[in-house]
Every structure is written in C-alpha cells, then in structure tokens.
Amino acid sequence: MNKKYMTVNGKKVAFTGKEKNLLTVIKGMGIEIPTFCYHSALSVYGACRMCIVEDEKGNIMASCSIKPQEGMSIKTHTKRLMNMRRMILELLLANDHQDCTICDKSGSCQLQTLAQNMGVKQVRFDPRKEREALDKSSPSIIRNPNKCILCGDCVRICSEVQGVGVLGFMNRGPKIEVSPAFNKPIADVDCINCGQCVSVCPTGALLVKDDTMKVWEAINDPEKLVVAQIAPAVRVAIGEEFGLKDSTNYLYKSVSALRLIGVDYVFDTSFTADMTIIEETHEFIDRVKQGKNLPHLTSCCPAWVTYVERNCPDLISNLSSCRSPQGMFGSLIKKYFAKQKGIDPKNIFVVSVMPCTAKKAEAIRPQLSTEKMQDIDTVITTVEFARMIRKMGIQFADLEPSSLDMPFGFSSGAGVLFGNSGGVAEATLRFAAEKLSKEPLKDVNFDDVRGLAGVKSAHVDINGTKVRVGVVSGLANMKEIISKIRENKSEFDIIEVMACAGGCIGGGGQPVPNNIEARKKRNKSIYSIDSQAPVKKSQENPTIKQIYTDWLGEPNSKVAHRALHTHYGSKKRIDGMEILDSKKTTEEKLTVSVCVGTNCYLKGSYDVLQKLISLSKEYQIEDKVEFKGTFCLENCACGPSIKLSISDHKFGLAHEDVEDFFKNNILCHFSN
Ligand code: SF4
Ligand code: SF4
Ligand code: SF4
Ligand code: FES
Ligand code: FES
C-alpha cells in the first residue's frame, strides 16, 4: 500500500489513509491528546473539542472528526491550544465538579485527571444550571445529571453497542441534558442494567451503585457467616485497580484480600459455572432431540435476560431455564451448604464479587430466593471490591496468595471460560461432544468461538450430529438474529449471548479504562488460566459429581430444577392489553386482572402474573382462567394489585404470597 506523509509537531509521519481519523495517527506516534467524546468502538461525535489541533494557518480543528491528509502539518500542544483546553475544562468544572473527594469516580475520573494534568487550579465561572436530584431508581447504576459534561458517550454506547437506546439528549441551549425519555427515572425505562454507560462516562455523572456498606455490616454482625463467590472475570481485572497492568490471574491474592476483609468462606463462581454446563447441556440436548424451543438461548447474562423480557418476550421459551452461575451459587449455599454446616440460612450472608452491574438487579429477582429470603444478599463489582481493599489499607500487590475454600473452590478450566464471550459455548461443546459421541474429547479447544468479534459461529460435527453454534456479545448484534429466529430462519441451534462486548471481562463493573486493549489482555488471560487448569471439562469436576450423588440426583431432575433453574416473565410495557397464556375454551372463564400500572409494575406485578400463569398450568386449570394485564386499579398503596372477575374486591399481593392466594382464591373456585 502506498504510504502518505504528514507532519505532526515538526516530525514527518507516515499514514495509510485507512485510519479512522487524524487522532489515530497522532496517538500512533505516542502523543496523548485528551478526549472526552471519542471512543474507538463508537461513532464519532466531535462535541467536547478537547482533541483540538492547530494547522499552519492557525485553523483549529477537532482531530477526532477529520481524516489525515497528505502534506498536512499540524501541532498538538501550542500555547493557544493549551489555553483553549484549560478554558473548556474550567467551564466543565463549574458544574458541580468541586466535590471530587466524595465522588465515587475520584481516581478514575477523566475530568479530574485532566484538570490536574493541565494545572487548572481555579474555576472562574458559575454553574450553568440549577442542581438536579440524583436518579437512584436503578438497582445497578446512579445518574447524577449535575456532573454530566454532555459528551454523549453513554447515549452512543447504549444505542450503538447495546441496541437499547434508553438515553438521549433532551432540550436545547443551556437546558440541554442527557437523560432517559421525558426525564423518567432510569428504572422506569427499558434499561437492562449492563453498566456499559458507566464504563464510558468520563465523569461521576454515571456511577455503579455502591453496595459495599452492606458487606461491611454483615462482616461486623457476629450472627452472620459471610460467604463470598468470586466470578471468573474479576481475577483478570482486579490487578488493574492496583497498577498491575498485566491482567495476570489475581484470584489467589483476591482470596487473601477477602479473608483480611473478614469474609468467612471464599468460593469460586466458576464452580457453579461447571454446574450450569451440566444442567444446560442436558437441557439443550433434550431440546434438540424433541426439536423444540430452538435455537437454545443461554441465560447466564442477566442483562440479556432482561432484554428478552422487555423487548422480545416471545423468545422466553427459547431461553435456557438454568439460573446463571451466580444464581446457582446462591441456591447452593442457602439450600445445601447451610444444611451441611447445620446453619440457619438466615444467618448466612452471600456476597457476589462480580464484573457485572446487571448481577445486582438479578440478585433481587424474587425467583432467586429460598424460604422467602434472597439467595444472594448483595453483589459488589470488581471496582467496589478494590474500594473495600483500599479502605482496609490492604497492600494488594504485596499480598501472599491464599487458596479458595473447599468444596466449592475447585473448578474446571471450562468454568473459568465463562468470563469470555464464547466461553459458555466452548464449555458446552466440551460436554455435548462427549455426551453425544460417548467418547472422550481429545482436543478441547474450539477456536472458532474465541476472540472479541461481536458475532462468532462454529459448526461442529459430533458423530454425525451437526451442532450450529452462535456467539454474540454487544446486544445490538442480536437485532438481526432475533428477526431471523422469528421468521424461523435461524442459522444456529444454540446461541450464547452476553450483553457486554467481549463478555464479562468487559462488564460494567470492571476497572476503567474498560476499552478494547484492556479486554484483549483479560481475554488472553482467561484462556491462559484454562490452558493451565488440571481439569478442563465441567463434567470432570469431582465435587459436582458428588453433589449430584448427595443432593440433586440426575441433571434436570425435579430437585435440580427447584434448586438450579428459574423462570422468566414478559416485562414488555403494555397497557390494558390482554396477556393471554392459557388456551381459550368455550367454557366460562375466571378472569384474573393483574395491574401493570407503573406502581405495581415496579413492585413486581409481572413476576406475580407469571407465577400465577405457571401455577394455573401446574394445577391444570389453564383452560379455565384468563389472565389480563390492566392499567392502574387505583389500589397503588397495596400493589401489586389483582382483581378477579367474580368480585369487585382488589387484592394486594406480595410475591411470596402468590401460591397461597392462588390456592385460596383461584383454585378453590374450580374445586367441587
Ligand atoms: S445500563 Fe446499559 S442499558 Fe442501561 S442506560 Fe446504561 S448502557 Fe443503557
Ligand atoms: S452522563 Fe457521562 S457519558 Fe453521558 S453524556 Fe454525561 S458525561 Fe457523557
Ligand atoms: S456480559 Fe457479563 S458482565 Fe456484562 S451484563 Fe452480561 S453477565 Fe454482566
Ligand atoms: S474527542 Fe474530539 S471532539 Fe471530543
Ligand atoms: S398502579 Fe397498580 S393499582 Fe395503581
């Protein structure tokens, strides 16, 4: 290819013309130019003007928004440019940015770093607007509009990478701001809690909800046994928080840190990832044999599950019914470990250390509970974990490694692969190949599903059975695939879907920068852990075998279903429309109207509705009952509200009382 040349700061530099922009050429020379609104994975927006350069004629231009040109000569750090950048920073800092010491983004805030690097010591301007209230409605993220610098990064990642698009610019002129439609709380829109917007936000305008206080309280409660699970992707990223940039496996230092913090047992989520593989592969093979609910869609990623429930509930039956490894772990501890140890599960506090913000929302799903208590008590992200380590004054880099606790501290390499996009698919193939061929699998690596591409595929021939595997990360990549599934033209039998680009290694709770370079290193490290693992296949994890013998019986047994599986429900925002799940007959039916008004919806009315529908199937009265979603029943204080066609009474129904309500008010209607 013919090289072209230009001059940067007096130095001749070659370029190909294929670069995305001038900024790429400048960065390639090792010159750091500040940027707020440029991300290599997103479209170019060109709003912040921090990346400005000056040409020979004194023209100022944003280097992210123009192409390099033959013969061009530019300077990157003239006095004029530096003054302009300082002025922009000062204007941005005027808006509620003078409380860095108490901001959760402190230390990783680009605005703070740049202000320090560029010597901005005073702010001469008044704030642009009145202070607004923080939006704390989401279980995963907090939005502080006062700290927003309008870079638009969150708007573009939510729409371009996640295909969700719940954030946008509102108003004009000085009133312009970024928010969900109609300035609604984030919990009232279709946010899937992936936290990707937090990862790209350069300031404290978007934050992960901090749940560390709950963990400190449990540790200081003498009644509580604190049990931690640590997810695969945390171990390859936590080092970054302490300046250890090599993405080595820091699992064993993390175990030492958790012990010093005061956690009683430290287990590995990769253990229940192995368990997921056993349950999910059986489920998948059964579906293939029966030719139903295909393509099989994985359910490990709660952001993806929420996406399905909100946007395409018609695909719920394609989702695996397996709980995610986090969900299985919670159940294992509260239902099995508690019994083994002779401890009341109420006195066990389960904390998950996750790369993920969506896991915070998953942990509070009513379905993931045991005896009316949540299986997972709280979820902290990698960054929150690092915050706890600092708070304890622990010198992470100097820690001696410690081993995990047994029995749930041992996992196969396949279990660790869950940290990468393609990992669930590869682990499934390692088991499915042996199940279908009844022969030991020699080459365990499935290279086609590896790497950071948003869509990957593999066609695997197992003893004449062809398995077509799809792997998707970044939910915008699912749009076309969903259309094909709906048209019955799916190219895949099984599709692994992870919301975050590259999988959990790039989760919204991971250290920043959470960019492609960081993800590449973490991805490589996960494969290196697998290659060194003494056991590579989930089915060879000896403790898993033992648990099936002692407790679960067979994979997909009734016990396994109660403990390790879950159910989903449509969360599509509808109004007054019939939600019909039972078959119509000519007999007169009992109509059960469940309020899906905002108030009841937020209190979980969809889950109540789904539970009632599933009970009507279990008790074989689905032909006699008709379920409807309705607008507000004007009973908000007692919601979720329910009305039966046989009376005007409005019931208020908590999720834990659904079964009793069903038996006493619906089933009894049909018994003689
Ligand atoms: S958490 Fe994810 S879905 Fe929600 S606003 Fe942020 S990027 Fe969009
Ligand atoms: S919330 Fe953050 S990412 Fe979004 S526009 Fe504001 S500063 Fe940028
Ligand atoms: S890909 Fe992983 S980190 Fe991202 S939302 Fe899904 S489970 Fe969480
Ligand atoms: S990074 Fe170029 S204008 Fe913002
Ligand atoms: S929103 Fe359900 S009763 Fe008011």
Side-chain angles (χ1 to χ4, degrees):
M1 183 176 302
N2 280 344
K3 279 191 181 161
K4 299 176 182 175
Y5 293 90
M6 61 174 292
T7 308
V8 177
N9 297 340
K11 275 203 182 115
K12 197 172 168 189
V13 55
F15 65 97
T16 61
K18 297 227 160 163
E19 291 80 2
K20 190 168 175 183
N21 48 27
L22 175 57
L23 183 66
T24 319
V25 177
I26 299 170
K27 286 195 173 216
M29 293 173 72
I31 299 171
E32 208 39 61
I33 292 215
T35 55
F36 282 134
C37 72
Y38 177 71
H39 279 268
S40 54
L42 303 177
S43 62
V44 174
Y45 181 49
C48 75
R49 317 310 284 178
M50 287 303 287
C51 67
I52 43 177
V53 293
E54 190 173 352
D55 72 9
E56 283 172 320
K57 293 181 189 151
N59 295 320
I60 304 278
M61 51 210 147
S63 61
C64 70
S65 309
I66 55 164
K67 284 268 186 193
Q69 282 160 29
E70 177 80 59
M72 195 178 212
S73 176
I74 55 114
K75 290 209 165 108
T76 60
H77 288 78
T78 61
K79 193 171 172 204
R80 189 170 166 225
L81 289 171
M82 305 280 270
N83 283 340
M84 287 173 108
R85 286 191 192 122
R86 255 198 303 271
M87 174 70 83
I88 297 170
L89 282 172
E90 231 186 292
L91 283 164
L92 294 174
L93 283 165
N95 273 325
D96 214 29
H97 283 290
Q98 280 140 68
D99 58 353
C100 292
T101 45
I102 53 162
C103 175
D104 273 357
K105 224 19 172 295
S106 186
S108 60
C109 169
Q110 285 180 47
L111 183 59
Q112 183 191 40
T113 311
L114 274 179
Q116 279 163 0
N117 291 352
M118 299 188 65
V120 181
K121 300 232 186 299
Q122 58 161 354
V123 175
R124 293 164 292 169
F125 310 106
D126 290 330
R128 182 170 50 91
K129 51 183 188 176
E130 294 282 293
R131 229 174 164 272
E132 281 184 58
L134 271 56
D135 177 359
K136 297 183 177 177
S137 62
S138 153
S140 304
I141 64 174
I142 293 179
R143 205 172 64 78
N144 180 351
N146 308 297
K147 290 191 186 294
C148 178
I149 60 169
L150 303 172
C151 67
D153 293 350
C154 57
V155 176
R156 283 172 292 135
I157 201 155
C158 188
S159 151
E160 292 173 14
V161 177
Q162 297 302 54
V164 176
V166 294
L167 296 171
F169 284 95
M170 291 207 336
N171 310 325
R172 285 174 186 230
K175 289 197 170 152
I176 191 166
E177 63 180 337
V178 164
S179 93
F182 308 112
N183 216 354
K184 280 187 182 179
I186 195 106
D188 282 5
V189 295
D190 284 337
C191 169
I192 55 168
N193 307 305
C194 67
Q196 289 301 306
C197 51
V198 181
S199 272
V200 293
C201 179
T203 73
L206 287 164
L207 295 169
V208 171
K209 194 163 251 181
D210 188 311
D211 287 309
T212 56
M213 219 42 226
K214 293 184 195 158
V215 186
W216 292 120
E217 272 165 24
I219 283 167
N220 288 313
D221 182 343
E223 299 282 303
K224 294 278 185 212
L225 184 88
V226 181
V227 177
Q229 58 168 319
I230 184 157
V234 175
R235 67 202 65 184
V236 295
I238 181 79
E240 294 163 27
E241 280 284 316
F242 300 97
L244 306 163
K245 295 283 177 206
D246 51 0
S247 298
T248 306
N249 179 10
Y250 289 111
L251 173 63
Y252 303 106
K253 276 186 191 284
S254 303
V255 177
S256 303
L258 283 165
R259 293 236 167 85
L260 285 172
I261 284 169
V263 168
D264 298 297
Y265 284 89
V266 187
F267 295 129
D268 193 344
T269 315
S270 310
F271 175 83
T272 34
D274 279 338
M275 212 166 218
T276 306
I277 289 304
I278 305 300
E279 287 297 310
E280 186 156 358
T281 309
H282 277 92
E283 185 186 39
F284 168 58
I285 292 175
D286 276 355
R287 287 183 183 188
V288 171
K289 283 185 185 152
Q290 292 174 30
K292 68 171 195 189
N293 298 335
L294 294 171
H296 175 101
L297 302 172
T298 60
S299 59
C300 303
C301 171
W304 159 239
V305 167
T306 305
Y307 183 92
V308 173
E309 290 181 322
R310 297 235 159 118
N311 297 285
C312 36
D314 51 310
L315 298 186
I316 282 178
S317 55
N318 294 61
L319 278 176
S320 163
S321 67
C322 290
R323 287 179 175 212
S324 71
Q326 149 163 284
M328 286 197 183
F329 182 89
S331 185
L332 182 72
I333 297 300
K334 296 266 168 97
K335 296 185 179 74
Y336 176 78
F337 177 78
K339 215 174 250 170
Q340 296 268 310
K341 291 276 167 195
I343 302 171
D344 184 341
K346 285 192 185 70
N347 291 329
I348 299 183
F349 183 92
V350 175
V351 51
S352 310
V353 187
M354 296 279 140
C356 177
T357 50
K359 297 278 181 197
K360 287 178 186 272
E362 181 188 43
I364 57 172
R365 283 175 80 96
Q367 296 96 317
L368 301 193
S369 58
T370 298
E371 293 170 19
K372 298 186 182 175
M373 83 194 92
Q374 288 310 115
D375 288 336
I376 298 125
D377 294 283
T378 202
V379 177
I380 56 167
T381 61
T382 312
V383 172
E384 288 169 87
F385 176 35
R387 203 172 289 149
M388 292 186 81
I389 293 173
R390 280 191 210 101
K391 204 167 195 172
M392 274 295 282
I394 296 167
Q395 300 304 307
F396 187 80
D398 300 334
L399 280 177
E400 285 299 320
S402 309
S403 344
L404 288 147
D405 288 299
M406 290 300 154
F408 316 129
F410 183 83
S411 79
S412 72
V416 180
L417 290 185
F418 271 56
N420 278 342
S421 153
V424 180
E426 183 160 348
T428 306
L429 284 169
R430 287 182 189 180
F431 186 28
E434 290 196 349
K435 272 276 328 141
L436 291 169
S437 70
K438 301 197 169 43
E439 279 171 20
L441 177 73
K442 289 199 187 90
D443 182 4
V444 294
N445 293 352
F446 291 86
D447 292 337
D448 288 348
V449 295
R450 295 187 172 194
L452 291 172
V455 181
K456 296 170 276 186
S457 64
H459 286 197
V460 184
D461 192 330
I462 308 168
N463 258 14
T465 306
K466 286 199 172 48
V467 182
R468 301 166 305 160
V469 185
V471 173
V472 178
S473 69
L475 292 185
N477 291 318
M478 272 310 283
K479 292 246 150 119
E480 209 183 311
I481 296 173
I482 288 171
S483 304
K484 285 198 178 159
I485 297 173
R486 282 179 169 152
E487 289 162 16
N488 239 348
K489 290 180 185 159
S490 171
E491 291 154 23
F492 304 115
D493 303 307
I494 177 168
I495 309 176
E496 177 207 293
V497 192
M498 294 287 166
C500 302
C504 303
I505 47 155
Q510 293 284 65
V512 290
N514 192 10
N515 53 19
I516 184 82
E517 289 76 27
R519 289 175 202 213
K520 266 186 198 157
K521 284 191 201 160
R522 298 171 194 161
N523 174 282
K524 204 167 147 207
S525 196
I526 291 275
Y527 288 122
S528 144
I529 297 171
D530 171 48
S531 69
Q532 289 161 30
V535 171
K536 303 258 185 315
K537 304 167 192 163
S538 301
Q539 63 272 31
E540 289 176 2
N541 183 328
T543 312
I544 301 268
K545 291 182 188 171
Q546 193 58 46
I547 288 178
Y548 276 98
T549 310
D550 290 352
W551 179 38
L552 299 168
E554 292 298 309
N556 280 224
S557 66
K558 272 197 172 163
V559 183
H561 257 269
R562 267 199 298 274
L564 307 178
H565 291 244
T566 185
H567 60 273
Y568 318 104
S570 169
K571 292 195 170 70
K572 199 164 180 146
R573 285 164 205 281
I574 52 163
D575 38 20
M577 166 202 306
E578 200 173 73
I579 307 169
L580 202 58
D581 198 72
S582 48
K583 292 172 213 107
K584 288 194 183 226
T585 68
T586 47
E587 287 171 39
E588 197 182 321
K589 289 184 190 172
L590 175 70
T591 303
V592 180
S593 303
V594 180
C595 176
V596 288
T598 306
N599 203 306
C600 293
Y601 175 81
L602 290 175
K603 289 180 183 166
S605 61
Y606 263 112
D607 290 325
V608 167
L609 176 60
Q610 290 306 319
K611 177 84 180 157
L612 287 171
I613 290 171
S614 89
L615 284 165
S616 74
K617 284 180 181 162
E618 192 179 317
Y619 287 90
Q620 297 174 357
I621 56 163
E622 75 262 44
D623 287 344
K624 299 173 181 165
V625 189
E626 189 171 88
F627 292 99
K628 281 183 174 178
T630 75
F631 266 142
C632 182
L633 290 170
E634 294 179 349
N635 183 40
C636 300
C638 309
S641 304
I642 297 198
K643 201 177 142 311
L644 305 179
S645 52
I646 44 168
S647 95
D648 285 326
H649 183 70
K650 290 158 197 163
F651 299 87
L653 188 50
H655 195 273
E656 57 270 26
D657 300 324
V658 173
E659 188 150 358
D660 285 345
F661 173 86
F662 174 83
K663 286 179 185 159
N664 298 333
N665 296 283
I666 298 179
L667 193 59
C668 68
H669 185 72
F670 301 104
S671 34
N672 297 321

